[in-house]
Amino acid sequence: MSVGSGESGWRTLARMGRPRATKANALAAVLAAALGFAMVTQVHQNRSSGLDNLSQDDLVALLDGEAQQAVRLGHESDTLTYTRDQLRGSSGDQAALSAAQQRLTQLGILAGTLPAKGPGIRVTVADPKAGVQSANLLDAVEELRDAGAEAIQVNSVRVVASTYFSTGSDNRLQVDGTAISPPYVLLAIGDPHTMSTAMAIPGGVVSTLRQLGATTVVTSSTAVSVSALRARSGDRYAQPDTTSTG
Amino acid sequence: MIPALGLIGGLLLGLFLHPDVPLWLQPYLPVAVIAALDAVFGAVRSMLDGIFSDKVFVVSFLSNVVVAALIVFMGDQLGVGSQLSTAVVVVLGLRIFSNVAAIRRHLFHA
């Protein structure tokens, strides 16, 4: 330490700092300029670049963080999508309700609790010789069902799945225990052409009835009204099985 | 004086030009800048000690920069580039601190 006083230090600095036109001084200036340039450039680079200056470990950690964030957001998105679908399901409920309503109507027609009308045929069986048996009526009904009849009525009795034909003690035909008398009128809603063809096939209902001495008239109509109703009765034993589907 | 003016001129040039650092230079520039700073502070200290030499400054400046870059380059090749960069920065930082302390003692006697 050759410096004795404060002035000496500053003076030394000033003396050394005096411009000297030496080659080395110029070179030092160039180097200093390069240093300044490099410093500013580096600072600028450091500020402008985002991930470039991070190490591999930092990048891996960053990637992990991003992945976890993505997973979390994915879960959130799923939840929100589910909720949205639930909320949007109000219209789906509407569709399900109308479908259920439609199905209820169909089942009502099948079960005979609802009146039905539509295109169909009217089969009128005149039985002057009283030769028609309950089996013949059953055959006729089965034939109509095979031909696609959706609603059938015999005289004033609606034909449903559990309908039975029998003969009463007075030799009158009975449908579901209700005595009916000739002429027997079967009303069937369905495709008129198919059903009338089914009635008229050789060896079928009409020819069999003719052999029994009955005359059968089949008329097609675009508007047959099956208006006989059947009382709604709950099943006593059979309950809907909700545990299994199909 | 002239080197100080050169430093300021370089700073201004960098401020106005905003150059992009080429990719191959990116790992070495920060370390090189630190090494050059060390050389500059060492030069100021030697000035105050009265043993300053332009030639020594130029040589030490260049050798500092080259050696620092070489160390980092070697570290990159060996797979310890970031650690060696840290090491170089620590060492140079220590030197800068000690140089600045010497300068401070010279100028402020404290």
Side-chain angles (χ1 to χ4, degrees):
Chain A
M1 292 293 164
S2 62
V3 184
S5 67
E7 284 87 6
S8 149
W10 290 104
R11 210 162 46 224
T12 309
L13 208 58
R15 180 169 53 79
M16 297 301 285
R18 265 202 304 269
R20 282 163 297 150
T22 61
K23 209 192 284 179
N25 203 1
L27 200 52
V30 168
L31 289 179
L35 171 61
F37 186 72
M39 266 165 48
V40 171
T41 302
Q42 176 61 26
V43 168
H44 178 246
Q45 171 82 12
N46 203 35
R47 281 192 187 159
S48 61
S49 65
L51 301 172
D52 294 358
N53 296 316
L54 293 179
S55 70
Q56 192 172 347
D57 292 342
D58 289 342
L59 288 173
V60 169
L62 206 64
L63 192 63
D64 280 348
E66 292 297 324
Q68 284 177 2
Q69 180 91 341
V71 168
R72 209 170 48 77
L73 290 177
H75 282 311
E76 197 174 330
S77 167
D78 286 349
T79 310
L80 289 176
T81 304
Y82 179 73
T83 308
R84 186 200 64 192
D85 289 347
Q86 290 266 307
L87 290 174
R88 197 179 271 172
S90 52
S91 62
D93 285 351
Q94 202 63 44
L97 187 64
S98 66
Q101 202 74 46
Q102 194 173 351
R103 183 139 183 82
L104 182 66
T105 307
Q106 284 178 351
L107 290 175
I109 291 172
L110 270 183
T113 57
L114 289 175
K117 67 177 181 180
I121 60 172
R122 166 190 284 263
V123 182
T124 308
V125 180
D127 186 21
K129 295 179 182 175
V132 177
Q133 303 296 307
S134 58
N136 301 122
L137 279 185
L138 178 62
D139 283 345
V141 168
E142 292 298 327
E143 200 70 58
L144 287 172
R145 277 177 174 162
D146 285 348
E150 292 167 356
I152 302 173
Q153 171 179 347
V154 178
N155 282 18
S156 60
V157 181
R158 185 71 169 264
V159 177
V160 294
S162 60
T163 295
Y164 64 94
F165 296 90
S166 59
T167 306
S169 54
D170 54 354
N171 277 339
R172 292 176 67 190
L173 296 185
Q174 289 182 344
V175 180
D176 282 344
T178 303
I180 58 174
S181 50
Y184 309 117
V185 178
L186 284 78
L187 297 173
I189 294 177
D191 180 22
H193 180 72
T194 306
M195 290 192 295
S196 51
T197 305
M199 289 292 103
I201 55 172
V205 173
V206 172
S207 62
T208 306
L209 288 173
R210 190 185 303 125
Q211 288 171 9
L212 295 171
T215 56
T216 307
V217 179
V218 177
T219 53
S220 297
S221 170
T222 56
V224 171
S225 178
V226 175
S227 55
L229 293 184
R230 185 179 177 83
R232 192 190 304 256
S233 63
D235 288 317
R236 291 170 60 196
Y237 302 108
Q239 298 292 329
D241 185 1
T242 55
T243 57
S244 66
T245 56
Chain B
M1 187 61 75
I2 289 179
L5 289 178
L7 182 65
I8 293 170
L11 288 172
L12 292 178
L13 201 64
L15 276 176
F16 284 118
L17 285 185
H18 278 312
D20 280 331
V21 181
L23 200 62
W24 58 269
L25 195 60
Q26 280 185 4
Y28 310 119
L29 188 58
V31 175
V33 166
I34 300 290
L37 273 179
D38 171 55
V40 167
F41 282 110
V44 173
R45 180 189 177 176
S46 67
M47 237 181 240
L48 292 169
D49 285 343
I51 54 173
F52 177 76
S53 153
D54 286 327
K55 200 195 284 177
V56 171
F57 169 66
V58 170
V59 170
S60 77
F61 186 102
L62 290 177
S63 74
N64 257 15
V65 167
V66 168
V67 166
L70 264 181
I71 288 175
V72 173
F73 172 77
M74 206 172 64
D76 272 343
Q77 299 305 308
L78 295 174
V80 289
S82 58
Q83 289 94 324
L84 264 187
S85 300
T86 309
V88 168
V89 169
V90 167
V91 170
L92 293 178
L94 283 174
R95 282 170 54 105
I96 289 173
F97 258 102
S98 65
N99 282 338
V100 168
I103 293 168
R104 188 197 64 218
R105 275 195 293 274
H106 274 297
L107 294 183
F108 303 111
H109 299 289

